[in-house]
Short mmCIF file of all heavy atoms in Angstrom, two decimals:
data_model
loop_
_atom_site.label_atom_id
_atom_site.label_comp_id
_atom_site.label_asym_id
_atom_site.label_seq_id
_atom_site.Cartn_x
_atom_site.Cartn_y
_atom_site.Cartn_z
N HIS I 1 3.09 -10.37 -12.25
CA HIS I 1 2.25 -10.46 -11.05
C HIS I 1 2.55 -9.29 -10.11
O HIS I 1 3.26 -9.44 -9.11
CB HIS I 1 2.49 -11.79 -10.32
CG HIS I 1 2.28 -13.01 -11.18
ND1 HIS I 1 1.02 -13.43 -11.56
CD2 HIS I 1 3.17 -13.86 -11.74
CE1 HIS I 1 1.15 -14.51 -12.32
NE2 HIS I 1 2.43 -14.78 -12.45
N PRO I 2 2.02 -8.09 -10.43
CA PRO I 2 2.24 -6.94 -9.55
C PRO I 2 1.65 -7.21 -8.17
O PRO I 2 0.57 -7.78 -8.05
CB PRO I 2 1.49 -5.80 -10.26
CG PRO I 2 1.28 -6.28 -11.65
CD PRO I 2 1.19 -7.77 -11.59
N ARG I 3 2.36 -6.79 -7.11
CA ARG I 3 1.86 -7.04 -5.77
C ARG I 3 2.32 -5.95 -4.81
O ARG I 3 3.30 -5.26 -5.05
CB ARG I 3 2.31 -8.42 -5.27
CG ARG I 3 3.82 -8.59 -5.16
CD ARG I 3 4.18 -10.03 -4.82
NE ARG I 3 5.61 -10.22 -4.65
CZ ARG I 3 6.45 -10.50 -5.63
NH1 ARG I 3 5.99 -10.59 -6.86
NH2 ARG I 3 7.75 -10.65 -5.41
N GLN I 4 1.59 -5.86 -3.72
CA GLN I 4 1.91 -4.94 -2.63
C GLN I 4 2.10 -5.82 -1.40
O GLN I 4 1.21 -6.58 -1.03
CB GLN I 4 0.75 -3.96 -2.44
CG GLN I 4 1.10 -2.69 -1.68
CD GLN I 4 1.33 -2.92 -0.20
OE1 GLN I 4 2.46 -2.83 0.26
NE2 GLN I 4 0.29 -3.23 0.53
N THR I 5 3.27 -5.77 -0.78
CA THR I 5 3.65 -6.80 0.19
C THR I 5 3.41 -6.42 1.65
O THR I 5 3.71 -7.21 2.53
CB THR I 5 5.13 -7.17 0.02
OG1 THR I 5 5.91 -5.98 0.12
CG2 THR I 5 5.36 -7.81 -1.35
N LEU I 6 2.92 -5.23 1.91
CA LEU I 6 2.62 -4.84 3.29
C LEU I 6 1.16 -5.11 3.62
O LEU I 6 0.27 -4.85 2.81
CB LEU I 6 2.91 -3.35 3.50
CG LEU I 6 4.36 -2.90 3.60
CD1 LEU I 6 4.42 -1.39 3.78
CD2 LEU I 6 5.08 -3.58 4.75
N ASP I 7 0.92 -5.62 4.82
CA ASP I 7 -0.44 -5.72 5.35
C ASP I 7 -0.75 -4.36 5.98
O ASP I 7 -0.38 -4.09 7.13
CB ASP I 7 -0.53 -6.84 6.38
CG ASP I 7 -1.94 -7.01 6.94
OD1 ASP I 7 -2.75 -6.06 6.84
OD2 ASP I 7 -2.23 -8.08 7.49
N LEU I 8 -1.37 -3.50 5.19
CA LEU I 8 -1.56 -2.11 5.62
C LEU I 8 -2.47 -2.01 6.83
O LEU I 8 -2.27 -1.18 7.71
CB LEU I 8 -2.09 -1.28 4.45
CG LEU I 8 -1.16 -1.22 3.23
CD1 LEU I 8 -1.84 -0.48 2.09
CD2 LEU I 8 0.16 -0.55 3.58
N GLY I 9 -3.48 -2.87 6.87
CA GLY I 9 -4.39 -2.86 8.02
C GLY I 9 -3.67 -3.16 9.32
O GLY I 9 -3.88 -2.49 10.34
N SER I 10 -2.78 -4.16 9.28
CA SER I 10 -2.01 -4.52 10.46
C SER I 10 -1.04 -3.41 10.84
O SER I 10 -0.85 -3.09 12.01
CB SER I 10 -1.26 -5.82 10.22
OG SER I 10 -0.43 -6.15 11.30
N LEU I 11 -0.41 -2.81 9.81
CA LEU I 11 0.59 -1.78 10.07
C LEU I 11 -0.02 -0.54 10.71
O LEU I 11 0.58 0.07 11.61
CB LEU I 11 1.29 -1.41 8.76
CG LEU I 11 2.59 -0.61 8.88
CD1 LEU I 11 3.61 -1.34 9.74
CD2 LEU I 11 3.16 -0.33 7.51
N THR I 12 -1.22 -0.15 10.28
CA THR I 12 -1.85 1.03 10.88
C THR I 12 -2.15 0.80 12.36
O THR I 12 -2.30 1.77 13.12
CB THR I 12 -3.15 1.40 10.13
OG1 THR I 12 -4.02 0.27 10.08
CG2 THR I 12 -2.85 1.88 8.73
N GLY I 13 -2.20 -0.46 12.78
CA GLY I 13 -2.44 -0.76 14.19
C GLY I 13 -1.29 -0.36 15.10
O GLY I 13 -1.50 -0.17 16.30
N VAL I 14 -0.08 -0.24 14.56
CA VAL I 14 1.07 0.17 15.38
C VAL I 14 1.45 1.63 15.12
O VAL I 14 2.36 2.15 15.77
CB VAL I 14 2.29 -0.75 15.12
CG1 VAL I 14 1.97 -2.17 15.48
CG2 VAL I 14 2.78 -0.64 13.68
N MET I 15 0.77 2.26 14.18
CA MET I 15 1.06 3.66 13.88
C MET I 15 0.35 4.57 14.88
O MET I 15 -0.77 4.29 15.30
CB MET I 15 0.60 4.02 12.45
CG MET I 15 1.43 3.38 11.35
SD MET I 15 0.72 3.58 9.69
CE MET I 15 0.58 5.38 9.60
N GLY I 16 1.02 5.66 15.26
CA GLY I 16 0.41 6.64 16.14
C GLY I 16 -0.59 7.51 15.40
O GLY I 16 -0.63 7.54 14.16
N GLU I 17 -1.38 8.23 16.15
CA GLU I 17 -2.40 9.11 15.55
C GLU I 17 -1.77 10.24 14.74
O GLU I 17 -2.40 10.79 13.85
CB GLU I 17 -3.31 9.68 16.63
CG GLU I 17 -4.22 8.66 17.29
CD GLU I 17 -5.18 8.02 16.30
OE1 GLU I 17 -5.68 8.75 15.41
OE2 GLU I 17 -5.41 6.80 16.39
N ASP I 18 -0.54 10.57 15.08
CA ASP I 18 0.14 11.68 14.39
C ASP I 18 1.03 11.19 13.27
O ASP I 18 1.92 11.91 12.81
CB ASP I 18 0.98 12.48 15.39
CG ASP I 18 2.10 11.64 16.01
OD1 ASP I 18 2.00 10.40 15.97
OD2 ASP I 18 3.08 12.24 16.52
N GLU I 19 0.80 9.96 12.77
CA GLU I 19 1.65 9.39 11.73
C GLU I 19 0.90 9.18 10.43
O GLU I 19 -0.33 9.00 10.42
CB GLU I 19 2.22 8.04 12.19
CG GLU I 19 3.24 8.14 13.30
CD GLU I 19 3.90 6.80 13.55
OE1 GLU I 19 4.85 6.46 12.80
OE2 GLU I 19 3.48 6.09 14.48
N ALA I 20 1.66 9.18 9.34
CA ALA I 20 1.12 8.85 8.02
C ALA I 20 2.15 8.01 7.28
O ALA I 20 3.36 8.17 7.47
CB ALA I 20 0.82 10.12 7.23
N LEU I 21 1.64 7.10 6.45
CA LEU I 21 2.50 6.25 5.63
C LEU I 21 2.26 6.56 4.16
O LEU I 21 1.13 6.54 3.69
CB LEU I 21 2.19 4.77 5.90
CG LEU I 21 2.93 3.75 5.02
CD1 LEU I 21 4.43 3.76 5.30
CD2 LEU I 21 2.36 2.34 5.22
N PHE I 22 3.35 6.86 3.43
CA PHE I 22 3.28 7.10 1.99
C PHE I 22 3.78 5.85 1.26
O PHE I 22 4.81 5.29 1.62
CB PHE I 22 4.18 8.28 1.59
CG PHE I 22 3.67 9.63 1.99
CD1 PHE I 22 4.42 10.77 1.71
CD2 PHE I 22 2.46 9.79 2.65
CE1 PHE I 22 3.97 12.02 2.08
CE2 PHE I 22 2.00 11.04 3.03
CZ PHE I 22 2.75 12.16 2.75
N LEU I 23 3.06 5.47 0.21
CA LEU I 23 3.50 4.38 -0.66
C LEU I 23 4.02 4.96 -1.96
O LEU I 23 3.34 5.75 -2.62
CB LEU I 23 2.35 3.43 -0.97
CG LEU I 23 1.59 2.81 0.22
CD1 LEU I 23 0.46 1.93 -0.29
CD2 LEU I 23 2.53 2.03 1.12
N ARG I 24 5.24 4.59 -2.31
CA ARG I 24 5.81 5.00 -3.59
C ARG I 24 6.19 3.72 -4.34
O ARG I 24 7.28 3.17 -4.17
CB ARG I 24 7.04 5.88 -3.39
CG ARG I 24 7.68 6.37 -4.69
CD ARG I 24 6.84 7.42 -5.37
NE ARG I 24 7.50 7.97 -6.54
CZ ARG I 24 7.08 9.05 -7.20
NH1 ARG I 24 5.99 9.69 -6.80
NH2 ARG I 24 7.71 9.51 -8.25
N LEU I 25 5.28 3.22 -5.15
CA LEU I 25 5.45 1.95 -5.83
C LEU I 25 5.95 2.16 -7.26
O LEU I 25 5.76 3.24 -7.85
CB LEU I 25 4.12 1.18 -5.85
CG LEU I 25 3.45 0.99 -4.48
CD1 LEU I 25 2.10 0.32 -4.64
CD2 LEU I 25 4.34 0.17 -3.55
N HIS I 26 6.57 1.15 -7.80
CA HIS I 26 7.02 1.20 -9.19
C HIS I 26 5.81 1.45 -10.10
O HIS I 26 4.71 0.95 -9.82
CB HIS I 26 7.70 -0.12 -9.57
CG HIS I 26 8.30 -0.12 -10.92
ND1 HIS I 26 7.56 -0.43 -12.06
CD2 HIS I 26 9.56 0.14 -11.36
CE1 HIS I 26 8.36 -0.35 -13.11
NE2 HIS I 26 9.56 -0.01 -12.72
N PRO I 27 5.98 2.23 -11.19
CA PRO I 27 4.84 2.55 -12.06
C PRO I 27 4.04 1.33 -12.51
O PRO I 27 2.81 1.39 -12.59
CB PRO I 27 5.49 3.26 -13.24
CG PRO I 27 6.71 3.89 -12.67
CD PRO I 27 7.20 2.94 -11.61
N HIS I 28 4.71 0.22 -12.79
CA HIS I 28 3.98 -0.96 -13.26
C HIS I 28 3.10 -1.52 -12.15
O HIS I 28 1.97 -1.93 -12.39
CB HIS I 28 4.96 -2.03 -13.75
CG HIS I 28 4.28 -3.25 -14.31
ND1 HIS I 28 3.65 -3.24 -15.53
CD2 HIS I 28 4.12 -4.50 -13.81
CE1 HIS I 28 3.13 -4.43 -15.77
NE2 HIS I 28 3.40 -5.22 -14.73
N VAL I 29 3.63 -1.54 -10.92
CA VAL I 29 2.84 -2.02 -9.78
C VAL I 29 1.73 -1.03 -9.47
O VAL I 29 0.58 -1.41 -9.24
CB VAL I 29 3.74 -2.23 -8.55
CG1 VAL I 29 2.92 -2.69 -7.35
CG2 VAL I 29 4.84 -3.25 -8.86
N ALA I 30 2.07 0.25 -9.49
CA ALA I 30 1.08 1.29 -9.19
C ALA I 30 -0.08 1.27 -10.17
O ALA I 30 -1.23 1.54 -9.80
CB ALA I 30 1.74 2.66 -9.19
N ALA I 31 0.20 0.93 -11.43
CA ALA I 31 -0.85 0.89 -12.45
C ALA I 31 -1.88 -0.19 -12.17
O ALA I 31 -3.00 -0.14 -12.67
CB ALA I 31 -0.24 0.70 -13.83
N HIS I 32 -1.50 -1.19 -11.37
CA HIS I 32 -2.41 -2.29 -11.02
C HIS I 32 -2.80 -2.23 -9.54
O HIS I 32 -3.14 -3.24 -8.95
CB HIS I 32 -1.74 -3.64 -11.33
CG HIS I 32 -1.46 -3.85 -12.78
ND1 HIS I 32 -0.33 -3.36 -13.40
CD2 HIS I 32 -2.17 -4.48 -13.75
CE1 HIS I 32 -0.35 -3.68 -14.69
NE2 HIS I 32 -1.44 -4.36 -14.93
N PHE I 33 -2.73 -1.03 -8.96
CA PHE I 33 -3.03 -0.85 -7.54
C PHE I 33 -4.55 -0.78 -7.35
O PHE I 33 -5.18 0.20 -7.73
CB PHE I 33 -2.39 0.45 -7.04
CG PHE I 33 -2.41 0.64 -5.55
CD1 PHE I 33 -1.27 0.38 -4.81
CD2 PHE I 33 -3.53 1.07 -4.89
CE1 PHE I 33 -1.25 0.56 -3.44
CE2 PHE I 33 -3.54 1.25 -3.52
CZ PHE I 33 -2.39 0.99 -2.79
N PRO I 34 -5.16 -1.80 -6.74
CA PRO I 34 -6.63 -1.76 -6.57
C PRO I 34 -7.03 -0.93 -5.36
O PRO I 34 -6.29 -0.84 -4.37
CB PRO I 34 -6.98 -3.25 -6.35
CG PRO I 34 -5.75 -3.83 -5.73
CD PRO I 34 -4.57 -3.07 -6.28
N ASP I 35 -8.21 -0.34 -5.42
CA ASP I 35 -8.69 0.51 -4.33
C ASP I 35 -8.79 -0.24 -3.01
O ASP I 35 -8.59 0.33 -1.94
CB ASP I 35 -10.06 1.10 -4.68
CG ASP I 35 -9.98 2.09 -5.83
OD1 ASP I 35 -8.87 2.61 -6.08
OD2 ASP I 35 -11.01 2.34 -6.49
N GLU I 36 -9.05 -1.55 -3.08
CA GLU I 36 -9.24 -2.30 -1.84
C GLU I 36 -7.96 -2.41 -1.01
O GLU I 36 -8.03 -2.71 0.18
CB GLU I 36 -9.80 -3.70 -2.11
CG GLU I 36 -9.01 -4.54 -3.07
CD GLU I 36 -9.60 -4.48 -4.48
OE1 GLU I 36 -10.22 -3.45 -4.82
OE2 GLU I 36 -9.44 -5.46 -5.23
N TRP I 37 -6.79 -2.19 -1.63
CA TRP I 37 -5.56 -2.21 -0.84
C TRP I 37 -5.56 -1.13 0.24
O TRP I 37 -4.91 -1.27 1.27
CB TRP I 37 -4.35 -2.03 -1.75
CG TRP I 37 -3.95 -3.28 -2.49
CD1 TRP I 37 -4.53 -4.51 -2.39
CD2 TRP I 37 -2.89 -3.41 -3.44
NE1 TRP I 37 -3.91 -5.41 -3.22
CE2 TRP I 37 -2.89 -4.76 -3.89
CE3 TRP I 37 -1.96 -2.54 -3.97
CZ2 TRP I 37 -1.99 -5.24 -4.82
CZ3 TRP I 37 -1.07 -3.02 -4.92
CH2 TRP I 37 -1.07 -4.35 -5.34
N LEU I 38 -6.27 -0.04 0.00
CA LEU I 38 -6.30 1.06 0.97
C LEU I 38 -7.58 1.08 1.81
O LEU I 38 -7.75 1.96 2.64
CB LEU I 38 -6.15 2.40 0.24
CG LEU I 38 -4.77 2.73 -0.33
CD1 LEU I 38 -4.79 4.11 -0.99
CD2 LEU I 38 -3.70 2.69 0.75
N ARG I 39 -8.44 0.10 1.58
CA ARG I 39 -9.71 0.09 2.31
C ARG I 39 -9.46 -0.03 3.81
O ARG I 39 -8.74 -0.91 4.27
CB ARG I 39 -10.59 -1.05 1.81
CG ARG I 39 -12.03 -0.99 2.33
CD ARG I 39 -12.94 -1.88 1.50
NE ARG I 39 -13.03 -1.42 0.12
CZ ARG I 39 -13.16 -2.23 -0.92
NH1 ARG I 39 -13.18 -3.54 -0.75
NH2 ARG I 39 -13.25 -1.72 -2.14
#
């Protein structure tokens, strides 16, 4: 059951305009990374 445990939408709400977040997931999790996680 590959999963991504951060609520990215909520997290971007506390990020400044000059910030970026990189995700480095395990290859098995990354292989099942759906596009909607970044929507």
Side-chain angles (χ1 to χ4, degrees):
H1 304 287
R3 62 187 183 273
Q4 199 288 110
T5 55
L6 285 179
D7 182 339
L8 299 175
S10 176
L11 195 57
T12 54
V14 299
M15 290 171 56
E17 291 298 321
D18 63 340
E19 290 188 82
L21 175 66
F22 287 178
L23 305 179
R24 181 72 175 191
L25 306 175
H26 185 274
H28 183 73
V29 179
H32 296 84
F33 191 101
D35 292 339
E36 54 263 28
W37 281 358
L38 288 181
R39 190 163 296 146

